[in-house]
């Protein structure tokens, strides 16, 4: 790929459910530094960490990233990652390839980032999202209530179809998103058709939302032979 590649790691300081989450250690390394290491392994041109927290900034710099000071207006509990990323890449030209790496996905690897970048290639538009197969209730076997009347999520026949004949359900892991800066500005989202998928095992789709998730992620890493 000949285009400029910029990885952005959004890591705000506040977390009501898991205080200090982005600095929590995964196998001895802060989560934000794990994300930076994955980006550096993929040989992107620049790694930016968007944060409002000095401690996170210090760890990010030590890990090899450039720190973008995130305004308070973009660092609240309801702030969206896309807003922080748009702020971080405001000076990048439209053809820059932007890679979003959330620190709460520690089982995403540098090789995953490389594969997503290869999938994106030099396409003029479209995005790449890391996904994993989702177990449990198939979304096509659900209904919505419209003006007091049930309607199928997709088609009535799906509700009675054998699960085995329905297509597998994939959900984003939160680990890797790839999109051009221009597409991100034009659409304000990371899902820009055509969206290509990098599929990883469901065991690697753990998102850190609390201490128990971190324990599970470290156990999974051990089972994968990473430690």
């Amino acid at each position: 790929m000949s285009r400029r590649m910029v990885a952005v790691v959004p890591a705000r300081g506040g977390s009501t459910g898991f205080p200090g989450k982005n600095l929590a250690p995964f196998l001895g390394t802060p989560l934000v530094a794990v994300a930076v290491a994955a980006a550096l392994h993929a040989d992107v041109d620049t790694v930016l960490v968007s944060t409002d927290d000095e401690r996170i900034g210090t760890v990010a710099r030590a890990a090899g990233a450039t720190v973008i000071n995130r305004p308070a207006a973009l660092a609240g509990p309801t702030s969206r990652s896309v807003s922080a990323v748009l702020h971080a890449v405001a000076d990048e030209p439209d053809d820059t390839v932007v890679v979003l790496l959330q620190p709460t996905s520690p089982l995403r690897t540098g090789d995953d980032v490389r594969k997503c970048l290869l999938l994106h290639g030099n396409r003029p538009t479209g995005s790449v999202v890391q996904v994993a197969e989702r177990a449990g209730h198939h979304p096509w076997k659900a209904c919505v209530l419209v003006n007091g009347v049930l309607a199928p999520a997709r088609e009535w026949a799906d509700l009675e179809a054998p699960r085995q004949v329905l297509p597998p359900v994939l959900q984003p892991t939160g680990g890797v998103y790839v999109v051009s800066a221009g597409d991100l500005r034009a659409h304000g989202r990371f899902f820009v058709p055509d969206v290509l998928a990098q599929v990883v095992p469901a065991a690697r789709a753990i998102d850190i939302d609390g201490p128990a998730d971190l324990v599970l992620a470290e156990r999974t890493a051990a089972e994968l032979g990473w430690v």
Side-chain angles (χ1 to χ4, degrees):
M1 180 183 289
S2 59
R3 293 156 65 181
R4 177 169 162 79
M5 298 178 291
V6 175
V8 181
V9 180
R12 68 184 185 91
S15 176
T16 54
F18 187 1
K21 175 171 63 177
N22 288 319
L23 289 175
F26 171 72
L27 302 177
T29 301
L31 286 172
V32 67
V34 172
V36 172
L40 293 174
H41 180 83
D43 294 326
V44 300
D45 295 294
T46 301
V47 183
L48 306 176
V49 172
S50 170
T51 187
D52 61 327
D53 188 289
E54 291 185 7
R55 296 172 303 161
I56 292 175
T58 298
V59 170
R61 290 186 189 94
T66 297
V67 173
I68 302 295
N69 294 317
R70 192 191 306 192
L74 302 180
T78 61
S79 297
R80 300 175 62 211
S81 292
V82 65
S83 300
V85 175
L86 283 168
H87 172 262
V89 301
D91 295 330
E92 293 290 337
D94 283 350
D95 65 349
T96 296
V97 176
V98 179
V99 186
L100 166 63
L101 303 177
Q102 299 191 119
T104 51
S105 299
L107 296 176
R108 163 223 42 240
T109 68
D111 286 339
D112 291 333
V113 181
R114 284 180 182 273
K115 290 174 181 176
C116 288
L117 287 168
L118 285 171
L119 276 172
H120 190 276
N122 282 309
R123 292 190 298 158
T125 190
S127 57
V128 177
V129 177
Q130 186 185 75
V131 297
E133 190 165 342
R134 188 184 80 172
H137 189 79
H138 199 289
W140 287 7
K141 287 184 168 290
C143 295
V144 294
L145 197 61
V146 181
N147 297 324
V149 178
L150 280 182
R154 196 184 75 111
E155 295 179 358
W156 287 118
D158 297 332
L159 298 176
E160 299 178 46
R163 179 180 53 81
Q164 293 81 358
V165 306
L166 298 178
V169 177
L170 302 170
Q171 64 181 21
T173 66
V176 188
Y177 300 83
V178 178
V179 66
S180 73
D183 271 346
L184 196 61
R185 292 184 184 112
H187 300 279
R189 62 177 188 267
F190 296 101
F191 293 85
V192 178
D194 289 336
V195 182
L196 303 182
Q198 188 234 355
V199 184
V200 298
R204 289 211 286 122
I206 298 171
D207 178 69
I208 307 301
D209 194 43
D213 299 318
L214 200 53
V215 172
L216 178 59
E218 291 191 329
R219 184 184 307 145
T220 301
E223 292 170 352
L224 292 170
W226 292 7
V227 291

